[in-house]
């Protein structure tokens, strides 16, 4: 049975087939870009073993939260969890339930991990949201399978870099959503090119294969191409996202273009 989040209009998964493609960076800046266009937005960090959304937004928890941490250790979950608000975004993450140096019990079965994530999502008091973005871990296993089964997703956005290996892994992730009849809203090509900070010249870092593209990605639209810039990396290190601190830059404009293309697919 699908869980019901009655006050959330659009639930969108953000996925990738592999790590290191900047999926969480895209998720956070995409959420802020939607917010700048007048939407109420939330982020649910569903990465059990590497939750980075809190750190990227400057939220640190040294020790497990009393009461909330019980969700990570017991089957019985609290009935209600209030999300944190950062930069105007409602956020919740497994990383807010345990300390930064703690981990979810690795002995838990994959099914239990999926149940943990779904239960946490269900118990959060999200409030009225136009968009809830779910930042998924870089794989095609759990908790993705449980979320697909239990959460009424409006669609999925695939984040990849423009290189063959990343495209191949992204296509594997995409197949899982296609088989579950979850609409594929499109692809965000992250680190698409590099902008020199000295001369503003555009350079393509990754080699593109014009003759090769996985069949699973053949019909997926490109929502946008995000440049690789020092501004993006600095914003991550400083826990002040690009879209919040530098909304008028060309890099921020790329995220705004993605949001326009995304909304056109919904």
């Amino acid at each position: 049975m699908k869980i019901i989040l009655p006050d959330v209009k659009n639930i969108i998964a953000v996925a990738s087939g592999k790590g290191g493609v900047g999926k969480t960076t895209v998720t956070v800046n995409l959420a802020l870009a939607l917010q700048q266009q007048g939407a109420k937005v939330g982020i649910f960090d569903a990465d059990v073993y590497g939750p980075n959304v809190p750190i990227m937004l400057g939220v640190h928890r040294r020790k497990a939260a009393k009461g909330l941490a019980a969700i990570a250790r017991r089957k019985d979950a609290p009935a209600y969890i209030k999300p944190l608000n950062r930069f105007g975004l409602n956020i919740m993450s497994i990383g807010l339930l345990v300390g930064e140096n703690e981990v979810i019990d690795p002995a838990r079965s994959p099914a239990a991990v999926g149940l943990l994530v779904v239960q946490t999502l269900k118990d959060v008091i999200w409030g009225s949201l136009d968009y809830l973005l779910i930042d998924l871990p870089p794989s095609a296993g759990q908790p993705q399978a449980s979320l697909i089964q239990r959460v009424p997703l409006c669609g999925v956005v695939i984040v990849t870099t423009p290189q063959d290996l990343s495209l191949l892994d992204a296509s594997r992730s995409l197949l899982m959503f296609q088989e579950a009849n979850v609409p594929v809203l499109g692809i965000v090509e992250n680190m698409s090119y590099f902008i020199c900070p000295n001369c503003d010249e555009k350079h393509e870092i990754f080699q593109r294969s014009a003759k090769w593209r996985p069949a699973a990605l053949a019909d997926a639209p490109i929502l946008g191409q995000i440049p690789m810039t020092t501004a993006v990396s600095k914003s991550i290190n400083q826990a002040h996202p690009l879209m919040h601190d530098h909304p008028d830059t060309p890099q921020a404009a790329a995220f705004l273009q993605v949001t326009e293309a995304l909304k056109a697919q919904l």
Side-chain angles (χ1 to χ4, degrees):
M1 180 182 296
K2 298 281 188 181
I3 67 172
I4 303 298
L5 301 178
D7 297 322
V8 179
K9 295 179 181 179
N10 298 284
I11 305 176
I12 301 171
V14 184
S16 68
K18 67 189 301 293
V21 299
K23 175 179 51 60
T24 301
T25 300
V26 169
T27 301
V28 169
N29 282 289
L30 180 58
L32 287 167
L34 288 166
Q35 181 195 75
Q36 286 186 18
Q37 295 174 333
K40 296 180 181 178
V41 188
I43 301 176
F44 179 61
D45 184 358
D47 194 336
V48 175
Y49 299 111
N52 291 322
V53 168
I55 296 174
M56 194 169 291
L57 290 173
V59 180
H60 298 273
R61 185 175 293 284
R62 304 303 180 187
K63 296 181 179 180
K66 293 181 179 179
L68 291 182
I71 232 182
R73 298 186 176 91
R74 300 200 312 258
K75 292 182 180 179
D76 56 316
Y80 305 105
I81 304 173
K82 185 177 180 180
L84 293 186
N85 190 279
R86 181 69 168 157
F87 301 117
L89 303 172
N90 282 350
I91 63 170
M92 179 47 62
S93 167
I94 300 301
L96 295 176
L97 306 182
V98 297
E100 289 182 6
N101 296 322
E102 298 178 326
V103 296
I104 301 298
D105 184 1
R108 283 178 176 265
S109 68
V113 169
L115 178 61
L116 164 67
V117 171
V118 171
Q119 187 67 45
T120 304
L121 173 65
K122 178 182 178 182
D123 288 339
V124 173
I125 308 172
W126 290 107
S128 178
L129 295 178
D130 296 301
Y131 301 95
L132 176 60
L133 304 185
I134 301 181
D135 186 41
L136 295 175
S139 66
Q142 288 287 6
Q144 288 90 319
S146 293
L147 287 167
I148 287 174
Q149 294 171 359
R150 299 289 308 280
V151 178
L153 298 172
C154 295
V156 58
V157 171
I158 302 294
V159 179
T160 181
T161 55
Q163 62 182 145
D164 292 355
L165 182 60
S166 181
L167 287 167
L168 177 60
D169 288 341
S171 70
R172 291 169 178 158
S173 180
L174 190 58
L175 282 172
M176 180 179 64
F177 290 96
Q178 289 177 331
E179 291 172 357
N181 295 317
V182 175
V184 179
L185 301 176
I187 298 169
V188 175
E189 193 176 272
N190 194 34
M191 295 181 273
S192 181
Y193 51 91
F194 172 71
I195 299 177
C196 176
N198 296 320
C199 64
D200 291 330
E201 188 174 346
K202 178 179 175 181
H203 303 273
E204 292 192 356
I205 303 298
F206 297 106
Q207 292 184 345
R208 300 170 184 268
S209 297
K211 297 181 180 179
W212 185 87
R213 191 182 186 193
L217 298 176
D219 298 325
I222 301 294
L223 298 176
Q225 297 174 315
I226 308 300
M228 178 189 298
T229 68
T230 55
V232 174
S233 61
K234 285 181 179 179
S235 69
I236 295 172
N237 293 335
Q238 296 170 354
H240 279 260
L242 174 80
M243 287 303 305
H244 182 269
D245 280 19
H246 305 285
D248 298 324
T249 61
Q251 296 88 345
F255 283 107
L256 291 171
Q257 291 172 1
V258 170
T259 62
E260 292 295 343
L262 175 61
K263 289 188 290 185
Q265 295 293 322
L266 293 172

